[in-house]
Every structure is written in structure tokens, then in C-alpha cells.
Amino acid sequence: MLRKVAFVAAAALSLGLASLALRLGPVPGSLLLVAAAVLLAVAASGAFASLAVAGGALGALAFGVLGAASPAAAGAALAGLCFAERSVRVRGRSARLLHIGTALAGGALAGSLTAAFGAGSLALRGVALVVSAVLVALPFLIDADDPVAHALDGAAGEITGPARASLREGAELRRTVAGEELLDGRAARQARATWASLLRLAEARARLERTLAVGRAARERKASQGEPPPAGEGAAGAPAEAVIGKVDARIADHVAALTRAYTAVSAAQAAEASLDDAALVGVEAMGESLEQVSKTMVEEV
């Protein structure tokens, strides 16, 4: 919820700066427009991802080109490109298309609204910016995968072996705990560091898998052409296989540690909730009191 509120604030600021940038000179206007669009894209993504930054820069370019001719088209292009990284993480073809369509429609309405009231009073322009920001935020009504879970799933799709199942488990765990403040303080920092380490391991494992695939393809091509393999090439893969085994074990250890930590926290919170019986005691006392009153009234009758 806090991220969505922060996005609405960032959208209002970005739309206001984007409208102002069109009235400035070429250089300062372009720099301000790019900064506003990148801010909006990062807020839409929820992470400083390269695709989000690129989408924001392209959105600024599209807004600058289309702004004078069609505010609706400029707003649609800006919102659609700023939400591009999040659109990639939406699971399901239909939901992804709906997400893209909502971003384009919300951006078009926001662009038209800000242009229509751009010459009004300060209060009127402020209201128009707030309404436009809410319209741009409409894609948040459609769920998107968590960035870390999406990256783990993507890495799992590229590799083989036991690490694939471990990464799938890690992605599902991330989806389960994403957005929930289960940990606090030092434990939360350690959990973030462990997730980051797991991502690095997944990327390294996928990169190694691709490298080995290239080597296997080269050997198969030479074999099909009747060329003898170079001396010692068969033993070159042995160190890589040993590294794969170690990386797979480390991935499994990271996922197991994270699962154990979040399970322990969830169990502690459930136990704490079960001990909070103040409301139960109050209701039982009230019930006993009412039963006694009813019994007394019946006896008197």
C-alpha cells in the first residue's frame, strides 16, 4: 500500500514536471523530462531495474515527440513505457495484455486531463494532477510477480538439475512473503542480503549453464564434421561440473535457510495471536453474565 501511495505522489510530480519540461528550452526541458520519466518508471517497477530506466527514457522521448501534437498519445506512450518492466512480470497472457491496455488508457486520460487544465488556476491544476496520477496508477489493480521471484523463475527456466527445483521453491517463497513485514531490524537486513546472494548464485548458475551449452554445441558440430576433439577437451568439463555441484548445494542451502527463517517467524506470530485471548475472555464473561440475568428473570416469572 505504501508503495502505491508513493507511486501516486511520484506520478503527480512526474506529470507536473513533464508538462513544465515542454515549456522550457531544448536542453533543460529534455533533461527534466528524462528525469521525471525515469522517476515514474522506477516507482512503477518498485526497483531500480535497467529495463525500468530504459523504459522511462524511451517514455520521455515519446512524450517529447508527441506532446505538442497529441497529449493523449503522449500520455499513453509515457505510461505504457514506464510500466513496461512491470508488464513483463505480469503472469498470464490475458492479464499482461490487460495490464498494458490499462497503462495506455490511464496514460491517455492523464495526458488529456493535464493538457486540458494546464492553463487553469493553481488549485485546479493541482486537482488535475492528482486525478491524473490516480489514473496512471490503474495498472496496479492487476497483480504482477515480485521482481526477485520473477528473476528466480527466469533463472530456473535456463538450468537443469536439482537447482531448478530449489529456485522454483525460492520463487514461490518470495511470492508468499513479498509485501509482508514478517521480519524487522537486523533480521530483515540479513534476509535481504540472503535474497541478494541467492540471486547472484542463480545468475552465476544460469551463466555457467549457457557456457557449457555453447561448448557442447561446438563439440557436436565438430563431431558431425568428423573433426577429432582437441586433446584434453573431455576432461575440461570436469571442473565445471564440480563447480555446478557446489553452486547447486549453495542455492539449496540459501532457500532452506530462508524458508526456515520465515516459517519460524510465522509460527511465532501465530503463537502470539493464539495467546491474545483478551477478547475471548471478555465475550465469555459477558455470556455468563447474560445467562445469569436470563436465569434470574425466568425464576422471578
Side-chain angles (χ1 to χ4, degrees), residues 6 23 27 41 72 85 107 139 183 197 218 229 234 258 275 293 296:
R23 302 188 182 95
V27 175
E85 193 276 335
L183 305 176
S197 178
L258 288 167
L275 294 175
V293 171
T296 303

Side-chain angles (χ1 to χ4, degrees), residues 116-216:
F117 295 95
S121 63
L122 184 61
L124 192 59
R125 280 182 290 174
V127 172
L129 281 177
V130 173
V131 175
S132 299
V134 173
L135 290 172
V136 173
L138 287 177
F140 281 109
L141 296 175
I142 303 168
D143 290 333
D145 205 2
D146 180 80
V148 176
H150 181 74
L152 293 177
D153 254 345
E158 297 186 40
I159 65 177
T160 57
R164 169 177 287 187
S166 298
L167 291 177
R168 299 283 191 201
E169 293 174 5
E172 193 58 36
L173 174 65
R174 180 70 182 193
R175 293 188 188 100
T176 303
V177 302
E180 300 183 13
E181 297 295 334
L182 297 180
L183 305 176
D184 56 359
R186 182 168 175 266
R189 290 192 296 271
Q190 289 179 343
R192 285 194 295 268
T194 306
W195 282 115
S197 178
L198 179 59
L199 272 178
R200 290 193 296 270
L201 286 170
E203 292 169 357
R205 180 66 174 80
R207 185 166 54 250
L208 183 56
E209 186 86 13
R210 291 192 295 267
T211 303
L212 291 176
V214 171
R216 285 194 296 267

Side-chain angles (χ1 to χ4, degrees), residues 212-230 233:
L212 291 176
V214 171
R216 285 194 296 267
R219 289 193 296 271
E220 291 174 359
R221 178 179 55 81
K222 292 180 179 180
S224 63
Q225 294 175 355
E227 299 180 10
E233 186 176 3

Side-chain angles (χ1 to χ4, degrees), residues 49-67:
S50 57
L51 181 57
V53 175
L58 290 176
L61 176 61
F63 190 89
V65 172
L66 301 173

